[in-house]
């Protein structure tokens, strides 16, 4: 054996009670599980796991590491919390498939999510080429969703209108090609432009392709605020009409209008599942959300792309129209809820002269500057050329707890890794589940929680040999102390590695060893093969 974890409490990802065993790893696989009372084979390396839990590596079902997994290859934020697989291409916006013009627009639009690293080599355009780039060596395994907003940008453009038959045909063709190249499904960001310009019929037509080629649909739907239930219902209808499995991204009920309404969402999903729908979801164990600051704008103000948006923000009359919609009516970009500037905290800027805004709400910064919050908001977007990120303090604890108990639930960080003070979920999601919601609150048992974060997620991804501690499976493993594991990342100090996770193995290779990052990059793309069957 290459490694033997001796005397571990194995929590295997099935939800079954843990058991004591020696677990041997050889050639990237789990080669032997010798339960207590059986003598296991020796190994070149023996790790004393007495008192520790050995579980499958955690699967981050909603990740925004698309660039940082390449630009910062140590990827400490994820490997230090036990993540061994991430799902990229989220919220309908990522960097493949593209042409040169679309890539340039995305680099600007997504700078608040992913940065735009100087000197970075953008040497791909197709999904297959992006996956090939991942296969050069990354810290964790990665699956990719075709981003529907990017697809629309490529085939339709930035206009707010229905796609023509020819444009829809091209989208379906590029989508099929991307799935054949290895994408595992399609995502949408239906509060982000230009993906939000698609109607249900267009989404259904695309999802038919996804379902036929073995993928699933993961939408950020049209509202997490006013009209949230209707937005969820639309996605359930799209799934039913298209025959495509549905995975609801960061599925929660936010803003004051949805306080205590998680049960209504779960009843909607339970009824659909009882009628035969294939539905799963993911959540993160925090209350605030995070996005780029310009996401609050009404969709019409973003039509035409970033340069057109900036031109509108520089016109006084258009500013006033936007202000009235954001503050009084509730823009579609702000989920149909009139904005409360005290809940919008700027947490990342690109220009040094705006650093004083970081860590403060738009309202607080406006008061300090003696100006109106909307004016400060508009001026910041123009100064930053839209490359600003924010936290939205709009969540409710009772909703978070209710949803994470659901049997279709999986875990996703939705973590943005860049900015001055990124959301701590990028570094803390998985240990926070184990520390707060298992050990401290007892919302889930340890076995239930591990199943949510591993085996159930692998089943959605149709990974036939991952997500469980089982002989013959890929050796993606995390060893942690159930009494000490904890998230240490905070909103003030978000880039802090988890406590109580001394060993993480990806494809049989240690990436965290004795609590320290190794220099190994054993991860690779996990590609959809059903589309080529």
């Amino acid at each position: 054996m290459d490694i033997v974890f001796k005397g571990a409490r194995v929590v295997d990802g099935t939800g079954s009670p843990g058991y004591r065993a020696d677990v041997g790893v050889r050639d990237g696989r789990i080669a032997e599980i010798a339960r207590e009372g059986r003598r296991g084979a020796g190994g070149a390396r023996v790790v004393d796991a007495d008192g520790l839990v050995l579980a499958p590596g955690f699967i981050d079902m909603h990740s925004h590491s698309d660039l940082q997994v390449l630009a910062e290859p140590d990827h400490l934020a994820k490997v230090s919390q036990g993540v061994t697989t991430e799902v990229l291409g989220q919220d309908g916006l990522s960097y493949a498939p593209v042409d040169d013009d679309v890539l340039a627009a995305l680099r600007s639009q997504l700078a608040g999510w992913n940065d735009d690293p100087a000197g970075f080599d953008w040497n791909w355009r197709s999904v297959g080429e992006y996956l090939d780039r991942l296969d050069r060596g990354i810290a964790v395994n990665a699956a990719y969703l075709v981003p529907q907003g990017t697809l629309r940008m490529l085939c339709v453009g930035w206009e707010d209108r229905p796609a023509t038959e020819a444009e829809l045909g091209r989208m379906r063709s590029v989508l099929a090609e991307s799935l054949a190249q290895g994408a595992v499904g399609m995502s949408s960001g239906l509060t982000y432009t230009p993906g939000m310009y698609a109607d249900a019929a267009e989404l259904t037509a695309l999802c038919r392709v996804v379902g036929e080629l073995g993928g699933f649909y993961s939408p950020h739907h049209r509202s997490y605020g006013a009209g949230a239930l209707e937005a969820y219902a639309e996605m359930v209808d799209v799934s039913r009409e298209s025959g495509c499995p549905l995975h609801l991204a960061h599925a929660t009920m936010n803003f004051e209008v949805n306080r205590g309404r998680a049960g209504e969402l779960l009843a909607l999903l339970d009824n659909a599942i009882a009628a035969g729908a294939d539905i799963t979801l993911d959540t993160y164990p925090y209350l605030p959300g995070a996005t780029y600051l310009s996401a609050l704008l009404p969709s019409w103000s973003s039509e035409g792309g970033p340069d057109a948006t900036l031109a509108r923000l520089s016109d006084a009359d258009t500013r006033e129209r936007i202000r009235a919609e954001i503050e009084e009516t509730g823009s579609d970009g702000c989920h149909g809820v009139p904005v409360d500037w005290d809940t919008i905290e700027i947490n990342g800027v690109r220009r040094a002269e705006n650093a004083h805004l970081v860590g403060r709400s738009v309202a607080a910064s406006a008061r300090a500057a003696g100006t109106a919050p909307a004016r400060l908001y508009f001026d910041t977007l123009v100064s930053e050329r839209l490359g600003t990120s924010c936290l939205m303090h709009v969540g409710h604890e009772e909703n978070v707890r209710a949803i994470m108990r659901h049997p279709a639930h999986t875990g996703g960080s939705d973590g943005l890794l860049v900015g001055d003070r990124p959301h701590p979920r990028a570094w803390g999601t998985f240990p926070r589940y184990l520390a707060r919601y298992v050990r401290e609150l007892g919302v889930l048992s340890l076995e239930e929680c591990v199943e949510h974060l591993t085996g159930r997620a692998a089943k959605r991804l149709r990974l036939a040999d991952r997500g469980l501690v089982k002989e013959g499976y890929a050796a993606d493993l995390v060893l942690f102390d159930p009494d000490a594991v904890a998230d240490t990342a905070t909103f003030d100090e978000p880039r802090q590695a988890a406590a109580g996770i001394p060993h993480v193995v990806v494809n049989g290779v240690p990436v965290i060893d004795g609590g320290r990052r190794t220099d190994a990059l054993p991860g690779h793309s996990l590609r959809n093969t059903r589309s080529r069957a």
Side-chain angles (χ1 to χ4, degrees), residues 251 266 281 283-286 397-410 433 437-438 443-444 448-449 452 456:
L266 299 179
L281 55 91
T283 70
Y284 49 82
Y286 296 85
E397 180 69 21
E398 65 270 31
N399 288 347
V400 169
R401 294 189 196 186
I403 293 168
M404 74 170 60
R405 293 188 187 102
H406 195 273
H409 172 263
T410 66
Y433 268 115
Y437 292 97
V438 173
V443 175
L444 297 169
E448 286 173 328
C449 187
H452 287 213
R456 188 175 298 164

Side-chain angles (χ1 to χ4, degrees), residues 12 74 128 149 155 164 179 212 216 251 282 332 335 375 397 411 427 461 491 526:
D12 64 7
D74 73 314
C155 300
T164 67
L179 291 160
E212 289 167 359
F216 64 93
D282 65 67
D332 49 5
H335 306 270
R375 180 173 181 178
E397 180 69 21
W427 289 75
L461 293 170
F491 286 95
L526 300 178

Side-chain angles (χ1 to χ4, degrees), residues 229 253 258 260-270 398-399 402-403 406:
L229 284 175
M253 299 285 284
N258 290 317
R261 299 185 67 194
E264 297 175 58
L265 166 61
L266 299 179
L268 169 70
L269 301 184
D270 286 340
E398 65 270 31
N399 288 347
I403 293 168
H406 195 273

Side-chain angles (χ1 to χ4, degrees), residues 21 87 158 226 280 344 351 380 402 427 441 519 525:
V87 185
W158 283 88
T280 52
I344 307 301
R351 298 173 65 89
T380 301
W427 289 75
L441 299 176
D519 60 1
S525 67

Side-chain angles (χ1 to χ4, degrees), residues 46-200:
V46 176
V47 175
D48 181 2
D50 185 44
L52 304 179
V53 170
L54 185 69
F58 303 132
I59 297 176
D60 189 341
M61 288 294 291
H62 192 99
S63 170
H64 288 283
S65 302
D66 308 47
L67 291 188
Q68 293 303 306
V69 72
L70 297 169
E72 300 290 340
D74 73 314
H75 210 39
L76 188 62
K78 294 305 178 69
V79 297
S80 65
Q81 59 180 303
V83 171
T84 59
T85 294
E86 297 184 279
V87 185
L88 310 176
Q90 299 285 355
D91 291 335
L93 291 166
S94 190
Y95 305 95
V98 295
D99 58 22
D100 291 352
D101 292 338
V102 168
L103 178 58
L106 285 166
R107 289 173 63 178
S108 175
Q109 183 178 3
L110 299 183
W113 278 0
N114 303 319
D115 197 12
D116 186 8
F120 186 79
D121 182 11
W122 299 88
N123 69 335
W124 70 83
R125 295 297 181 268
S126 70
V127 167
E129 290 167 346
Y130 175 70
L131 297 179
D132 288 344
R133 174 70 174 270
L134 297 178
D135 284 339
R136 293 185 186 180
I138 52 178
V140 300
N141 303 307
Y144 188 77
L145 298 167
V146 181
Q148 171 259 333
T150 298
L151 187 65
R152 200 173 210 270
M153 203 182 302
L154 180 66
C155 300
V156 180
W158 283 88
E159 294 79 19
D160 182 0
R161 61 171 176 79
T164 67
E165 284 299 317
E167 289 165 343
L168 181 58
R170 185 184 175 208
M171 280 193 285
R172 287 168 55 87
S173 176
V174 174
L175 176 59
E177 180 180 283
S178 299
L179 291 160
Q181 291 169 354
V184 298
M186 183 179 77
S187 74
S188 285
L190 300 178
T191 65
Y192 301 126
T193 56
M196 68 193 306
Y197 299 146
D199 61 18

Side-chain angles (χ1 to χ4, degrees), residues 253-386:
M253 299 285 284
N254 287 335
F255 300 90
E256 193 59 32
V257 295
N258 290 317
R259 182 182 293 275
R261 299 185 67 194
E264 297 175 58
L265 166 61
L266 299 179
L268 169 70
L269 301 184
D270 286 340
N271 289 337
I273 292 168
D278 181 356
I279 299 175
T280 52
L281 55 91
D282 65 67
T283 70
Y284 49 82
Y286 296 85
L287 302 188
T291 188
Y292 49 82
L293 191 62
S294 61
L296 307 181
L297 295 169
S299 57
W300 61 262
S301 68
S302 297
E303 188 176 3
D307 289 340
T309 303
L310 289 166
R312 293 185 183 102
L313 294 176
S314 299
D315 177 77
D317 290 341
T318 308
R319 273 195 182 199
E320 173 55 24
R321 180 185 170 194
I322 296 171
R323 183 210 62 77
E325 191 161 333
I326 291 177
E327 292 188 341
E328 299 170 15
T329 308
S331 73
D332 49 5
C334 196
H335 306 270
V337 177
V339 71
D340 176 355
W341 292 115
D342 282 303
T343 69
I344 307 301
E345 176 188 342
I346 293 174
N347 71 328
V349 296
R350 304 183 74 198
R351 298 173 65 89
E353 60 264 34
N354 296 321
H356 65 285
L357 301 174
V358 173
R360 306 177 74 182
S361 71
V362 171
S365 291
R367 285 192 292 268
T371 190
R375 180 173 181 178
L376 184 135
Y377 172 70
F378 294 139
D379 289 348
T380 301
L381 290 181
V382 171
S383 172
E384 291 282 316
R385 292 194 60 81
L386 310 180

